[in-house]
Amino acid sequence: MLWNLQDLNRAAFTFSYGGCFIGPTGYLWYKHLDSIVMSATRLKIGGALFITTKVAVDTLIFGPATLLGYMAGSGLVQGDALDVIATRIRLEFWPSFLLECAVWPAVQAFNFKLAPVRHQLLVVNTVAALDCAFLSWVSHERDTSAPWPQRLVERLRRRSNETSAGGDEEASK
C-alpha cells in the first residue's frame, strides 16, 4: 500500500494547518506587516534597514508562533497527551527554530525586497511546502529520546556504518 492511515492523517493535518491557519493568519500578517514596522520605526518602506527590521519582526514573532502552533496541533491530532506534546516541544522547538532561522530570514529578505505585498504569502507558501515536510517529520517522529539533530546524526552514522560494513563483506567474497 502506498499510503497508510497514519500518513494520510499526517498529510491531512499539514494541509489543514496550512489552509485553515497559516493561510488566513499569513494573509493578515503580511498585509499589515509593512504598516506595523513603519509605524513602530518610521523607516522608509523598501529601504535596507526597513527590510532588515521586517525580517527580524517576522522571524521573531510569526516564526515561533507558527512553529509552536504546528507542533502543538500535530500532537493533538495524533491524540498525544499534553505532557507528551510539552516534552516534544521542549526537545524539538529550539533546534527546529534555529534551523528555520538559518533558512527563513534569507527567504524573507528576498521576498520583502522583490515581491509585492500581495504576492509575499505566495512566496512563503512555496518555500513552506519544504518546511512543512521537515516539520511533519520532526513532529511525528515517535522517538523523543533526544532532540532531532542528535537523532538524525545518529541515524546517518548507523546507515554509514551499515553501508561500509556491507561493502567490506562484498569485497571479501
Side-chain angles (χ1 to χ4, degrees), residues 3 9 21 40 51 79 93 102 107 110 124 127 129 149 151 165 172-173:
W3 289 81
N9 287 339
F21 179 72
I51 290 171
F93 176 79
V107 169
F110 168 83
V124 168
V127 178
R151 293 192 320 264
S172 64
K173 288 183 181 178

Side-chain angles (χ1 to χ4, degrees), residues 120-144:
Q120 289 176 358
L121 185 58
L122 179 61
V123 172
V124 168
N125 287 340
T126 302
V127 178
L130 295 172
D131 191 36
C132 283
F134 165 73
L135 289 177
S136 181
W137 174 76
V138 168
S139 295
H140 293 84
E141 177 76 20
R142 290 293 180 194
D143 180 5
T144 58

Side-chain angles (χ1 to χ4, degrees), residues 29-132:
W29 175 253
Y30 294 114
K31 181 179 177 183
H32 298 291
L33 187 56
D34 278 352
S35 59
I36 291 168
V37 172
M38 190 175 66
S39 67
T41 64
R42 304 283 185 226
L43 295 170
K44 178 184 168 216
I45 290 181
L49 190 53
F50 179 83
I51 290 171
T52 302
T53 303
K54 191 172 169 181
V55 167
V57 169
D58 183 68
T59 300
L60 298 174
I61 295 174
F62 196 65
T66 58
L67 181 58
L68 282 171
Y70 188 91
M71 290 178 155
S74 67
L76 291 172
V77 167
Q78 291 179 90
D80 292 340
L82 293 179
D83 62 324
V84 172
I85 294 169
T87 298
R88 185 170 291 125
I89 289 172
R90 190 172 51 255
L91 282 172
E92 309 297 356
F93 176 79
W94 285 110
S96 300
F97 180 66
L98 292 174
L99 182 63
E100 298 228 337
C101 285
V103 174
W104 282 105
V107 169
Q108 292 296 53
F110 168 83
N111 188 21
F112 296 153
K113 180 67 178 170
L114 300 177
V117 171
R118 69 181 182 277
H119 297 305
Q120 289 176 358
L121 185 58
L122 179 61
V123 172
V124 168
N125 287 340
T126 302
V127 178
L130 295 172
D131 191 36
C132 283

